[in-house]
Amino acid sequence: MSHQLGRVVSEILHRYFGEIVQQVGKDLFTYGSKPISMIVKTTGLPRAQVVESLRTLLKFHLATFEPSSNEVNADYKLIPDNVLLLIRYPRYLLQMKSKYGSEAELLIEELLQQATCSATILLVTIAKKYKDDEVKNITMSKLKDTFISLATAGYIQQAPVEEVKEGCEIPTLVPVATIVPELDTRHLLHAMTMDISEITDNVYWEVNYDRFHLDFRDEIMIKAVTRRIDENAGEMLQHLLRLMYLTSAPWAPESNPTPVLELRECCQRVAAEKPHLNQHFDQYLKVLEENGAGFVRRCGEAGGGQYMVRPRQAAHALLLCTLEHCVTERLGSNAARIFRLINSKKYIEEDDIQKHAMLPNKECKELTYKLLEEHFISVQPMRKAASAGGLAKAIYLYHINLHEVAHTAAELCYRALHNVCRRAAHERRRHARLLDKQRRVRTIVHGMRLRGEPQPNIDDVEETLTPPELAVLTSVEKRLKQLSAAELELDRTLFILKWYFMYP
Amino acid sequence: MSSNSSEDAITEKILNIAKKNPKGITDKDVAATIPELSSEQRVMMINKLLQQGLIDLFKQGGSFIYRLKTQSSKQAVKGADNEEKVVFNLIEEAGNKGIWIRDIRVRSNLANTQLNKVLKSLESKKLIKAVKCVNASKKKVYMLYNLEPDRSISGGAWYQDQDFESEFVDILNRQCLRFLQQRADNIKNNPRGPIVGRTQSYATAAEVQKYITDLGISNVKLEVEDVITILNTIVYDGKAESSVYPDGSKVYRAIDPLLPAPGLVQVPCGVCPLIHKCCSTGLITPQDCIYMNEWLD
């Protein structure tokens, strides 16, 4: 809930929903929770527009509401974390495409755009949209199967339903357990011919972000272990994580113990692909435990040994790694050395830093103070209690308060994300006329092609974009691409930070 | 002439007693061993010895005791005056740790200017030397000329003339890391199993020390402890991890960081020195940021 977070949230809202929603969102962010009338007062917008914006925010889960103390009005509240998720949408789609294929990608894309949608309408809309697309070759039965497998895997879930309590006019949203639906292809094909308003399917679905985040988490952990040891160890961790889902809460700081026997069975099943892993199973387990950055720990001897996965420890290690990278890039590798030294010694005096870091006195002091200035390390003075004479020297102990440093890094991320978003918006605004022209030319050309008009005519229209204009357009496109790639990368960093903050 | 030779004999006798009792002798002891000496003569002889700087005079429980001075100091301060002797003794006591000029002044009760003069004359006679302390650059300590400064004063192998040799340390750091990295890949898909691979990727400090010595980049003899210090800096650089063998020896292994460079440092803002001054409006804004322009072009 920082000023920087507010800036980036407002920038994102502006990009996806326009100025009015941005104004309402910003107002909600600044004041916490407030009723409609107050929003109207502070933003100065007409009531209808405020209501419309709130509707949008609520629909996309970017805000919540709860009955105020008088139980008649509703208080609205922005959820900044969900606003940040808007940036992550491309990653969700990519994940779907690589895991379940392009049908799943289309499904999730449509559902993300609709926020909530009933299964029938969702499938019918997609099928209609790609009816004529020969390349993708979307069929209703394939779509249906994908939908069901996504629901089974938990990537989509049923949206919460409203419920009105007695004596209260404000409804509350109650989450419901997801039941995998029985969809009939014939019914769906029949629905294709109907008008959308006639479809009577009242079970609404939404995307389950959390399930995606678990995938991201596992991927990060597996990649880290692969970097540290090798692919086989990564594979083993993957099996361990899969077994963890069976026995523990997915975001638990430490999984319940997993017996080695089950893990061995898993590895034997993939023996054909990974003979090396199967052959040296015990050794890999030992190396994973001892050299795997503490992701896995042996916790008992029952049943031939039991192991647990430690996502909390993983988050800790990965956060440290991120911070170290950050310090290295900002202040140089020698500062990173001091940072790691302080972290490994917990509390350390200035003289000892110099001794262990093996740096010239002056440089070492300068870097230490710079680290302190940028809030990467903290200092704890220890004063000797009231000794005689004014010569009593205080001892200054340097240490790292990881939680605070993580917040510093998060602030930096918000700032950077805001700047990147703002810059992208600025680029778009600056070249708005050209981009607009390009879009228009494209639509006209597309229309002409469909009508089958002769090529010279099409060329004529295309030539309205002059070569210098085209050159500018390519450079702008390149810039925008780079900026959006940067957004995704920043989001990855934020993901690790958020993951760390999850465990108090 | 005869009186002189007899005096010499008496002196010899007194010194002999003093030698036998390194804790010191009293006036009575002298009287007991050389009964033929009158008290007057005895006082004269003692005074003479004191003047020559052969013995020291102490007061213990109301009576005087005489103690033989050590040979070296006796020779060293030949021809020196009393102040020099006092200062010299203080410096000698400090051993190879040295003594700070302020401590000398306090303990010798000499005025600053006088003390400086004394120190200068002792230095010119090559009896003492001034050594710069590595912990505090301004602090000079004095010690006897022939002593090797203590490690805490000179800083060990990493200091040349009391200056920290960061380049030397850097080179060693890089060479050690190269040695570790040569072995590091053994752990990946080792046909003999990951434990063998891990053992192959580990290097003990002694092995690294041998490698460094064979390279011949150091003209100073590096001990295993020195190499361990260097290896620890690699660990603090995040480029290696250390572990302990069952026999207690420390082993090191080069590692990669868990993550590739995160997004935060890939954008200019993550490394921008002006990030805290960057606002939506004003002189520094993301819209016309030079760093961003460079990055985008």
Side-chain angles (χ1 to χ4, degrees), chain A residues 393-404:
Chain A
K393 253 183 156 177
I395 306 169
Y396 292 95
L397 290 175
Y398 290 91
H399 60 103
I400 292 173
N401 186 341
L402 206 55
H403 200 75
E404 273 176 25

Side-chain angles (χ1 to χ4, degrees), chain B residues 262-273:
Chain B
L264 181 58
V265 296
Q266 288 176 23
V267 292
C269 301
V271 292
C272 178

